[in-house]
């Protein structure tokens, strides 16, 4: 068996303290392997977003151990800049509402992620164009996000998430703003990326129409893995 | 990739409108500084106009500009005979108001002796006074033309020459008359008052009184030495040109300087608050974009640069437009507005510092934005 790209052991996250403490996640274990597309399912307040934020290095766990692509995160030696570097190099984010920067064109939205990673301007633009072409939205590269359709904007957002060839892709309700046809296209795309780039894809969703497209589904309830971890 | 430039480009209309507002504010600041400079320059113009090295005034007074000074007209000869003095001339100073061409004309009358110190050094048009009476030199600010006749007191004077930029510290244009004419204008009683004086047994008032005597010293002679010599006469006081200028600035311009300085400081504070609020609002509008940038790995310096660069761009554009505006409008101000390159550059530097400081609020907000804000709706 391959080494998991994401491995969580006994991870817990508590907000607040004392009587006001909210246990968003309790002793959660999870493994996601390269090439896998994993769904994180569960009702609102079950801890899906907290889990996504933890893996995305946005919030720090209260306890437990987390390994991302062979690196143990939050082992007391991690600085804010280390987390930023990890997010930049190894994690790609896809959002419910694409979250493209409104003042950048489609091409610039993709190139900015490369620019932040230190890729030179011309090379960043070349790679951004290639990615947009790959996602069949290259013809809209000069358009601002406000001029793109929902599906086009989501594909540009996916291109941005993939720009630095991340090993881990975190998608938060990526199909919520799309019709079923486009939702299916996006899921097909994520699967293709997982296989081609040997990436781990974690998708938080409420969308029952895509439940059948996961290799593996993790069901959460009240901050605990109910099934599938 | 410069995010600040792209953000500005995306919101160009709003950004330029903001810059325009800021430029008007900075234009007002610059005009206040220009008004102060103009005030000082105008005040000094009159003192420098005679080209004197020494001012001999009434003992115990600080000269004709700071307070009243009256000395006998023949003191000029005594001063002229002092060792080291090359030439001396008597001067009178007086404010007058007259009706001319249906409007009220406020003038500052300087009486001088043609050919002696006190005569205007440069004329913009026409000629110097050559006749003993009823000729005058007027500054262009008075709006008079050569050949025009103006009534002052009981006599009518013809404008024979024009000076440029010679005004009193209050902004009134200066007109030059011969000493005799100005003494009559200032000291001669009108006929009813003169008859009343005669009836009560009084003697006709002497006219040969002047407000100051100015002197030029010979090359190589220290002014202070000649001033000390003149001051030995108990009824006279002597000031060097430098002292006279210092006195004028201290006594006449000082309050205006403080007033304008305080007003300028208040305007700068208002500008700082306005810039800070604008930047804060601009940052508030970008919270989601900032969260997204942080989430995809943008370092703090990228976020800070986005805000600070916009602040600096706003400052530079606002300052440039404000300066241009005042350069175009300065000649339409009722009093002289003197724009010095150093003042404009100093203001520019202050605005840049102000922009960086004012962007602190926006930077603070941006740095506190949680990357998780980008997730979810």
């Amino acid at each position: 068996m391959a080494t998991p790209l994401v491995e969580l052991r006994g991870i817990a996250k508590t907000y607040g303290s004392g009587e006001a403490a909210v246990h968003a996640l309790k002793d959660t274990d999870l493994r996601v392997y390269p090439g896998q597309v994993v769904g994180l399912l569960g009702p609102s307040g079950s801890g899906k977003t907290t889990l996504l934020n933890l893996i995305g290095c946005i919030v720090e766990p209260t306890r437990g151990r987390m390994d991302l692509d062979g690196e143990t995160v939050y082992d007391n030696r991690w600085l804010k800049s280390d987390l930023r570097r990890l997010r930049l190099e190894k994690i790609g984010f896809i959002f419910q509402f694409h979250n493209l920067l409104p003042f950048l064109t489609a091409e610039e939205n993709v190139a900015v992620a490369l620019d932040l990673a230190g890729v030179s301007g011309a090379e960043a633009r070349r790679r951004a164009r290639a990615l947009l072409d790959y996602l069949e939205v290259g013809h809209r590269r000069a358009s601002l996000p406000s001029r793109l359709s929902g599906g086009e904007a989501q594909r540009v957002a996916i291109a941005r998430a993939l720009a630095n060839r991340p090993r881990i892709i975190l998608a938060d309700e990526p199909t919520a703003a799309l019709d079923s046809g486009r939702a299916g296209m996006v899921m097909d795309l994520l699967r293709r990326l997982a296989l081609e780039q040997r990436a781990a894809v974690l998708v938080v969703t409420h969308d029952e129409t895509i439940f059948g497209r996961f290799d593996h589904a993790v069901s959460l309830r009240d901050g605990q893995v109910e099934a599938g971890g | 990739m410069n995010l600040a430039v792209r953000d500005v480009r995306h919101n160009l209309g709003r950004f330029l409108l903001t810059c325009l507002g800021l430029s008007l504010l900075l234009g007002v600041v610059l005009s206040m500084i220009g008004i102060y400079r103009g005030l000082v320059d105008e005040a000094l113009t009159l003192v420098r106009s005679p080209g004197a090295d020494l001012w001999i005034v009434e003992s115990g007074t600080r000269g004709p500009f700071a307070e009243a000074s009256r000395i006998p007209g023949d003191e000029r000869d005594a001063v002229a005979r002092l060792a080291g003095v090359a030439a001396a001339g008597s001067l009178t100073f007086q404010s007058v108001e007259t009706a001319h061409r249906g409007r009220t004309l406020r003038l500052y009358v300087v009486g001088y002796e043609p050919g002696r110190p006190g005569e205007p050094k440069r004329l913009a048009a026409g000629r110097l006074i050559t006749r003993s009476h009823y000729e005058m030199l007027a500054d262009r600010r008075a709006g008079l033309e050569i050949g025009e006749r103006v009534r002052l007191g009981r006599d009518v004077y013809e404008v024979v020459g024009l000076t440029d930029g010679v005004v009193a510290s209050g902004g009134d244009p200066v007109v030059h008359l011969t000493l005799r004419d100005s003494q009559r204008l200032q000291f001669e009683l009108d006929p009813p008052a003169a008859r009343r004086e005669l009836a009560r047994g009084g003697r006709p008032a002497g006219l040969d009184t002047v407000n100051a005597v100015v002197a030029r010293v010979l090359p190589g002679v220290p002014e202070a030495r000649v001033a000390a010599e003149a001051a030995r006469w108990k009824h006279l006081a002597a000031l060097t040109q430098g002292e006279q200028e210092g006195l004028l600035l201290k006594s006449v311009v000082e309050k205006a300087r403080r007033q304008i300085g305080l007003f300028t400081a208040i305007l700068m504070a208002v500008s700082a608050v306005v810039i800070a609020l604008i930047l804060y609002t601009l940052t508030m509008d970008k919270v989601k974009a900032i969260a997204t940038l942080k989430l995809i790995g943008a370092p703090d310096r990228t976020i800070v640069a986005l805000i600070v660069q916009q602040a600096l761009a706003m400052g530079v554009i606002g300052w440039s437009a404000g300066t241009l505006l005042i350069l175009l409008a300065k000649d339409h101000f009722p009093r002289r507005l003197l724009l010095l390159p150093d003042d404009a550059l100093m203001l520019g530097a202050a605005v840049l510092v102000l922009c960086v400081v004012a962007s602190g609020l926006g930077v603070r907000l941006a740095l506190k934005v949680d990357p998780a804000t980008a997730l979810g709706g």
Side-chain angles (χ1 to χ4, degrees):
Chain A
M1 192 76 175
T3 309
L5 276 174
V6 177
E7 186 171 16
L8 274 56
R9 277 175 282 176
I11 284 285
K13 178 64 187 175
T14 303
Y15 292 103
S17 60
E19 287 184 8
V22 176
H23 303 286
L25 273 181
K26 302 166 194 165
D27 294 324
T28 302
D29 296 329
L30 178 71
R31 284 187 187 81
V32 187
Y33 293 93
Q36 266 192 334
V37 179
V38 174
L40 295 176
L41 316 176
S44 292
S46 60
K48 303 186 301 291
T49 302
T50 301
L51 186 58
L52 204 71
N53 288 350
L54 277 164
I55 300 170
C57 302
I58 298 166
V59 294
E60 191 174 344
T62 310
R63 64 168 188 276
R65 178 184 165 127
M66 180 165 79
D67 292 327
L68 300 178
D69 195 19
E71 291 189 72
T72 303
V73 190
Y74 299 119
D75 63 351
N76 295 327
R77 293 196 305 271
W78 281 69
L79 302 171
K80 196 176 161 191
S81 56
D82 295 321
L83 297 174
R84 184 185 66 76
R85 195 247 324 146
L86 197 73
R87 283 205 297 268
L88 186 62
E89 293 174 357
K90 297 195 173 176
I91 302 172
F93 291 92
I94 301 168
F95 309 95
Q96 183 177 349
F97 295 104
H98 65 72
N99 280 22
L100 295 174
L101 299 174
F103 49 88
L104 300 182
T105 63
E107 183 181 305
E108 288 168 342
N109 258 290
V110 180
V112 74
L114 292 157
D115 186 67
L116 290 171
V119 179
S120 71
E123 175 63 9
R125 283 182 174 277
R126 190 191 64 72
R127 278 165 61 175
R129 278 198 291 271
L131 266 170
L132 291 172
D133 288 340
Y134 174 70
L135 293 168
E136 297 169 8
V137 71
H139 61 292
R140 303 305 306 273
R141 67 170 181 254
S143 302
L144 288 169
S146 57
R147 302 275 179 188
L148 300 174
S149 69
E152 286 170 338
Q154 195 60 296
R155 275 181 283 164
V156 174
I158 292 171
R160 182 179 64 188
L162 302 178
N164 290 313
R165 299 190 180 101
R167 298 301 312 280
I168 301 157
I169 296 168
L170 305 176
D172 185 23
E173 303 277 6
T175 59
L178 304 176
D179 58 45
S180 59
R182 296 203 181 278
M185 275 174 57
V186 167
M187 288 311 296
D188 288 343
L189 186 61
L190 290 176
R191 166 157 306 286
R192 201 167 83 199
L193 294 170
L195 290 173
E196 286 177 6
Q197 297 193 16
R198 301 298 295 158
V201 179
L202 280 99
V203 180
V204 166
T205 187
H206 280 105
D207 185 355
E208 292 181 5
T209 63
I210 61 168
F211 281 6
R213 290 173 176 268
F214 300 123
D215 297 318
H216 186 59
V218 176
S219 185
L220 289 158
R221 183 173 289 277
D222 297 330
Q224 284 184 306
V225 175
E226 195 176 53
Chain B
M1 184 182 298
N2 191 306
L3 298 176
V5 169
R6 282 162 175 82
D7 187 37
V8 167
R9 196 179 57 191
H10 185 241
N11 296 300
L12 192 62
R14 192 174 65 164
F15 183 80
L16 289 180
L17 208 61
T18 307
C19 288
L20 179 67
L22 187 60
S23 71
L24 293 175
L25 203 56
L26 294 176
V28 174
V29 174
L30 201 57
S31 66
M32 292 310 295
I33 298 170
I35 287 169
Y36 166 66
R37 293 289 185 200
L39 203 70
V40 171
D41 192 66
E42 282 184 346
L44 291 178
T45 302
L46 183 59
V47 182
R48 287 173 180 167
S49 169
D53 297 318
L54 281 180
W55 289 75
I56 315 297
V57 298
E58 185 181 346
S59 174
T61 72
R62 297 190 301 161
F65 306 109
E67 56 186 314
S69 157
R70 283 187 180 194
I71 55 177
D74 56 9
E75 290 298 341
R76 187 250 295 158
D77 295 328
V79 172
R81 282 195 295 272
L82 279 174
V85 171
S90 298
L91 292 175
T92 61
F93 300 94
Q94 175 190 13
S95 283
V96 297
E97 206 169 84
T98 184
H100 181 69
R101 285 191 304 195
R103 64 188 172 109
T104 303
L105 199 57
R106 236 189 110 70
L107 302 167
Y108 193 76
V109 177
V110 176
Y112 75 101
E113 296 175 284
R116 292 186 179 278
E119 188 172 61
K121 283 184 286 187
R122 271 190 308 276
L123 284 185
R127 60 166 175 82
L128 288 166
I129 293 174
T130 52
R131 288 166 53 196
S132 309
H133 295 290
Y134 313 127
E135 285 189 346
M136 72 190 284
L137 306 173
D139 192 78
R140 282 191 194 281
R141 292 278 188 92
L144 300 171
E145 304 290 338
I146 290 176
E148 207 166 340
R149 298 168 76 81
V150 182
R151 173 173 288 279
L152 297 178
R154 285 182 290 131
D155 298 313
V156 175
Y157 297 85
E158 183 185 350
V159 179
V160 295
L162 295 176
T163 57
D164 196 12
V166 184
V167 294
S169 60
D172 297 332
V174 167
V175 294
H176 287 82
L177 306 181
T178 62
L179 186 68
R180 292 287 166 233
D181 282 348
S182 72
Q183 283 173 325
R184 283 184 59 202
L185 182 64
Q186 190 171 164
F187 304 117
E188 192 176 69
L189 294 173
D190 64 355
R195 281 196 297 273
R196 183 177 171 278
E197 276 299 303
L198 280 172
R200 62 198 286 264
R203 287 187 307 164
L207 294 183
D208 195 17
T209 302
V210 299
N211 299 122
V213 171
V214 289
R216 281 193 208 114
V217 299
L218 291 167
V221 176
E223 299 159 13
R225 201 190 75 198
V226 184
E229 191 72 21
R232 286 172 61 193
W233 287 320
K234 301 289 183 196
H235 63 295
L236 297 178
L239 300 163
T240 63
Q241 176 69 17
E243 287 169 339
Q244 183 65 268
E245 288 182 14
L247 264 179
L248 185 74
L249 291 181
K250 204 169 173 188
S251 58
V252 181
V253 185
E254 179 65 12
K255 273 190 185 160
R257 187 184 69 84
R258 281 198 214 155
Q259 179 97 341
I260 291 172
L262 186 63
F263 192 57
T264 306
I266 291 170
L267 279 174
M268 287 296 276
V270 170
S271 305
V273 171
V274 168
I275 294 169
L277 282 177
I278 290 168
L279 290 171
Y280 188 77
T281 311
L282 287 175
T283 310
M284 285 282 280
D285 292 347
K286 285 195 283 281
V287 163
K288 189 106 179 172
I290 289 168
T292 304
L293 278 167
K294 284 185 168 186
L295 197 63
I296 64 175
D300 285 348
R301 67 171 181 277
T302 303
I303 313 290
V304 172
L306 169 67
I307 296 163
V308 173
Q309 283 171 3
Q310 283 189 357
L312 291 175
M314 200 181 290
V316 169
I317 294 172
W319 171 80
S320 307
T323 306
L324 186 68
L325 192 75
I326 296 306
L327 279 173
L328 293 174
K330 73 182 174 70
D331 293 333
H332 300 286
F333 279 72
R335 288 202 63 176
R336 187 163 180 211
L337 201 146
L338 184 61
L339 278 186
L340 299 179
D342 282 357
D343 287 342
L345 290 175
M346 283 282 282
L347 179 70
V351 167
L352 290 185
V353 172
L354 213 64
C355 284
V356 173
V357 173
S359 65
L361 260 184
V363 167
R364 189 163 168 265
L365 171 71
L367 293 181
K368 280 168 73 177
V369 170
D370 185 354
T373 312
L375 298 169

